[in-house]
């Protein structure tokens, strides 16, 4: 019972699979929430464990990739029992559970960050991050346009997703926002942006490994994990690592803040047409910057955030895969023109961080690595990129680039799409 498959103790997992198979055999699969949770968890965490163990794939965020791509293929082939896909689809579309997940992940990720590190770290890496984002967006969009992909599709479905902060924090909010603005099917949006996120993450990992090699050849270019020549103590001073909170009251309070901010965003979209995820993100950042979050709520937010990523993210991706993500659209995303555009975008991002480092007194290697995490696949992408470069001590800055940089990218992409649509 102390060995888990995903989040499920192994004996309970075996029993769950047997029970679900029995329901299918009897033709008695019901649409109640317990059955749907069981189906989603059994499939999602099985696929997640496979993804964590596949050679090569496991080093580039393989679990999230497998949990998203494989269900789409299984549904395309009809290899998941129709009884199961039917109840999952009904639950997923009728309850709006995806929106609660997005609210908890986005709001929780922002509110759980240390305020001092957030401000000081962001100001320090702002120049390479901003220059890298602008240059990457410009070059990536130009390359995609020249390759015949079209300016609109290149920017919104390739370039922006690469810098959006991963799947849960980036791709899913973008799919919801794009759907709200243009009426496009959410599943089609996710199918189109996922290849960009996957290949962008892989490219960033390769770049990080190459930068580490360059640092060994040119020691003057690297601080061996230190961002600044005089050390990073001034940026991290006073920061205490946030730990999960076991106080149920604090966790529930943080969860209700996330729900309330989401509803405020939804109301603003109804009244004034502002994209709901943008408003929700802006309110969360404002609360954080203006001391609106107390230590107990920060700890509670961290628990909500980690719970969602640990227990809910994979089932959400599985449901998205079988219900809304067309396999044909996923495959189209790996066309040669798309791949060239993705690589050009990430290379430009990383090179810009390297070249602008000296302007703000940073080591070029470390600056480029932190900037490259803006192209990563969320927290898992940060770990893979920093591991490839042996620079795990840069994690606080990578988190800022991914969470804040990704949030800003999502907000700007939705605002721009709303203005141009």
């Amino acid at each position: 019972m102390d060995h888990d498959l995903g989040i499920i103790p192994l004996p309970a997992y075996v029993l769950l699979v047997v029970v679900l198979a029995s329901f299918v055999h009897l033709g008695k699969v019901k649409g109640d929430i317990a059955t749907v949770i069981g189906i989603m968890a059994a499939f999602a965490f099985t696929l997640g464990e496979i993804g964590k163990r596949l050679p090569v794939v496991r080093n580039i965020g393989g679990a999230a990739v497998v949990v998203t791509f494989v269900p789409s293929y299984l549904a395309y082939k009809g290899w998941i029992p129709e009884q199961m896909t039917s109840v999952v689809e009904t639950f997923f579309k009728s309850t709006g559970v995806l929106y609660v997940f997005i609210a908890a992940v986005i709001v929780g990720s922002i509110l759980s960050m240390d305020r001092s590190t957030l401000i000081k770290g962001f100001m320090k890496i702002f120049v390479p991050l901003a220059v890298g984002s602008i240059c990457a967006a410009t070059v990536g969009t130009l390359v995609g346009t020249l390759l015949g992909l079209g300016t609109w599709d290149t920017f919104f479905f390739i370039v922006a997703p690469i810098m959006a902060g991963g799947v849960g924090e980036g791709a899913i909010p973008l799919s919801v926002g794009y759907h709200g603005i243009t009426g496009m099917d959410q599943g089609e949006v996710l199918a189109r942006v996922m290849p960009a996120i996957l290949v962008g993450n892989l490219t960033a990992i390769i770049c990080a490994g190459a930068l580490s090699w360059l640092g060994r050849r040119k020691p003057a270019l690297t601080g061996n994990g230190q961002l600044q020549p005089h050390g990073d103590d001034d940026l991290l001073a006073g920061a205490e690592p946030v730990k999960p909170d076991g106080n149920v009251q604090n966790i529930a309070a943080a969860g209700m803040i996330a729900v309330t901010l989401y509803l405020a965003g939804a109301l603003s979209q109804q009244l004034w047409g502002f994209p709901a995820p943008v408003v929700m993100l802006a309110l969360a950042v404002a609360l954080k910057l203006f001391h609106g979050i107390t230590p107990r709520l920060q700890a509670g937010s961290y628990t909500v955030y980690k719970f969602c990523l640990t227990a809910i993210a994979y089932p959400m991706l599985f449901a998205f895969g079988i219900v809304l993500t067309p396999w044909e659209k996923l495959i189209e995303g790996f066309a040669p023109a798309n791949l060239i555009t993705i690589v050009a975008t990430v290379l430009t991002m990383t090179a810009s961080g390297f070249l602008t480092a000296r302007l703000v007194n940073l080591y070029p290697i470390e600056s480029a690595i932190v900037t490259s995490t803006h192209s990563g696949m969320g927290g898992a992408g940060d770990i893979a990129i920093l591991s490839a470069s042996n620079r795990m001590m840069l994690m606080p800055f990578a988190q800022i680039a991914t969470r804040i940089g990704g949030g800003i990218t999502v907000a700007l992409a939705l605002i721009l799409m709303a203005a141009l649509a």
Side-chain angles (χ1 to χ4, degrees):
M1 290 296 274
D2 286 336
H3 296 278
D4 300 335
L5 191 142
I7 63 169
I8 313 171
L10 199 54
Y13 169 80
V14 174
L15 178 60
L16 175 62
V17 172
V18 171
V19 169
L20 291 175
S22 299
F23 278 132
V24 172
H25 178 70
L26 296 172
K28 299 291 185 180
V29 178
K30 297 181 179 180
D32 60 283
I33 188 170
T35 302
V36 174
I37 289 175
I39 294 170
M40 292 167 62
F43 275 98
F45 290 112
T46 300
L47 294 172
E49 288 296 319
I50 293 172
K52 290 177 183 178
R53 287 165 171 73
L54 288 176
V56 181
V57 176
R58 66 188 178 193
N59 297 321
I60 58 171
V65 173
V66 172
V67 173
T68 304
F69 281 55
V70 173
S72 177
Y73 180 74
L74 295 177
Y76 171 72
K77 287 291 188 178
W79 290 347
I80 298 178
E82 194 277 333
Q83 298 175 65
M84 289 184 167
T85 59
S86 177
V87 297
V88 170
E89 180 175 2
T90 301
F91 172 81
F92 193 76
K93 290 184 175 180
S94 64
T95 61
V97 64
L98 177 65
Y99 301 102
V100 178
F101 169 74
I102 293 172
V105 169
I106 293 181
V107 175
S109 70
I110 300 299
L111 300 189
S112 62
M113 295 189 73
D114 181 81
R115 181 179 177 277
S116 176
T117 303
L118 173 62
I119 295 173
K120 293 178 182 178
F122 182 73
M123 294 305 295
K124 194 64 182 179
I125 66 173
F126 174 77
V127 171
L129 193 61
V131 172
S133 299
I134 293 170
C135 291
T138 302
V139 172
T141 304
L142 181 61
V143 169
T145 302
L146 292 175
L147 291 175
L149 297 177
T151 302
W152 175 278
D153 285 356
T154 299
F155 179 78
F156 289 112
F157 294 97
I158 297 178
V159 174
I162 290 173
M163 301 185 287
V167 181
E169 300 96 327
I172 293 179
L174 280 178
S175 70
V176 172
Y178 288 2
H179 169 73
I181 294 169
T182 67
M184 284 185 63
D185 182 77
Q186 292 180 28
E188 181 180 342
V189 174
L190 187 68
R192 293 180 65 181
V193 304
M194 275 300 294
I197 294 173
L198 171 62
V199 178
N201 187 61
L202 175 59
T203 306
I205 292 170
I206 295 172
C207 287
L211 287 166
S212 179
W213 175 85
L214 179 61
R216 292 192 295 272
R217 295 293 184 274
K218 303 285 185 181
L221 297 175
T222 180
N224 294 309
Q226 294 291 322
L227 193 61
Q228 307 175 103
H230 58 272
D232 300 333
D233 290 344
D234 61 323
L235 299 180
L236 303 177
E240 297 183 3
V242 181
K243 298 179 181 179
D245 192 343
N247 187 307
V248 176
Q249 176 72 26
N250 297 345
I251 297 170
M256 285 310 302
I257 290 176
V259 171
T260 302
L261 295 187
Y262 164 72
L263 291 175
L267 178 61
S268 71
Q269 184 162 349
Q270 292 290 328
L271 295 178
W272 304 296
F274 299 146
V278 175
V279 176
M280 180 174 62
L281 176 67
L283 291 173
V285 172
L287 276 176
K288 192 66 182 177
L289 294 181
F290 296 106
H291 297 279
I293 298 300
T294 61
R296 78 176 184 100
L297 293 177
Q298 178 174 317
S301 297
Y302 181 74
T303 304
V304 170
Y305 171 67
K306 292 298 290 184
F307 173 79
C308 287
L309 291 186
T310 303
I312 304 178
Y314 288 173
M316 283 294 103
L317 291 176
F318 167 76
F320 226 126
I322 66 169
V323 174
L324 298 173
T325 309
W327 176 252
E328 300 91 337
K329 292 292 182 182
L330 273 175
I331 297 304
E332 288 176 7
F334 290 99
N338 295 52
L339 297 180
I340 293 171
T341 303
I342 295 166
V343 172
T345 301
V346 177
L347 288 178
T348 303
M349 171 85 68
T350 306
S352 299
F354 185 93
L355 296 174
T356 57
R358 296 298 190 190
L359 298 177
V360 287
N361 195 31
L362 302 179
Y363 283 113
I365 298 291
E366 277 66 27
S367 175
I369 291 171
V370 170
T371 305
S372 73
T373 61
H374 189 28
S375 308
M377 208 158 130
D382 289 344
I383 293 172
I385 293 167
L386 297 182
S387 296
S389 60
N390 195 28
R391 299 290 195 284
M392 287 299 292
M393 60 285 291
L394 294 175
M395 182 57 76
F397 309 106
Q399 287 286 287
I400 293 171
T402 302
R403 294 194 200 181
I404 303 301
I408 291 173
T409 299
V410 171
L412 292 179
L414 294 181
I415 292 171
L416 184 59
M417 176 174 276
L420 298 176

